[in-house]
Amino acid sequence: MKNSILKRSIIVISILLLIICAFSCVYAADENPSEVTMETLSKNGIVVHYPSNWGYSESTSNYSFMALSKLSSIDSFGVGQVNINFEKKPIEGEFYSFVNDTYRSMQKDSSFELISSGGLMISNIDAVEYIYTSTENGVEREHKAVWFEKGGQAYVMMYSAPTADFENDLYIFDYMLSDIQVT
């Protein structure tokens, strides 16, 4: 019994340290940390918290219901080059088959390269993660997409950035993913 309590305590402490570290990273990334605050956005049963040096932006996807971008990366069309996009699509068939078929069809494009895929949990929901690269208009981008099912719909939260910039802001996506609320 003591081992069980000890293991739970270690897990809780580890989670708290990760959250503290994520907040520290958000503040450390900005030149003037006193000006960065945490903002909240809620739409379609999804609640996320993000740093104020990110903001709402346009999306190029027809399925998008919410898009956030690093403010300094938003172009003249309002689309962020470093962004986190939230999409919702009707599921055709079984969820995992639907998601896997999506990436199987993308692999027909020679500019698509799958880096990794696997399962994870977000907000106590089973999810699937895909990390891949693609090239569009001569720009290679890296993407991290996390899919989950809610109410017969497939939801995806996807971080995308030019390959050279991908690692710089990945911690923002990872923090948002660890803190997401699905209602």
Side-chain angles (χ1 to χ4, degrees), residues 26 71 134 153 162 166:
V26 167
L71 293 176
S134 66
Q153 300 281 313
F166 184 80

Side-chain angles (χ1 to χ4, degrees), residues 1 31-32 62-63 68-69 102 119 135 155 159:
M1 173 119 174
E31 292 176 357
N32 190 349
N62 294 333
Y63 296 101
L68 295 167
S69 297
T102 298
T135 303
Y155 284 76
Y159 168 63

Side-chain angles (χ1 to χ4, degrees), residues 108-163:
K108 294 175 185 173
D109 181 348
S110 63
S111 75
F112 173 88
E113 183 181 341
L114 181 63
I115 296 171
S116 68
S117 64
L120 69 149
M121 295 284 289
I122 62 162
S123 193
N124 293 321
I125 299 171
D126 287 325
V128 181
E129 174 186 271
Y130 278 84
I131 300 175
Y132 61 97
T133 60
S134 66
T135 303
E136 186 176 330
N137 298 326
V139 177
E140 185 178 61
R141 300 179 64 78
E142 192 164 345
H143 314 272
K144 181 175 181 179
V146 175
W147 294 77
F148 61 93
E149 180 180 10
K150 177 184 164 235
Q153 300 281 313
Y155 284 76
V156 62
M157 179 178 170
M158 182 169 60
Y159 168 63
S160 181
T163 303

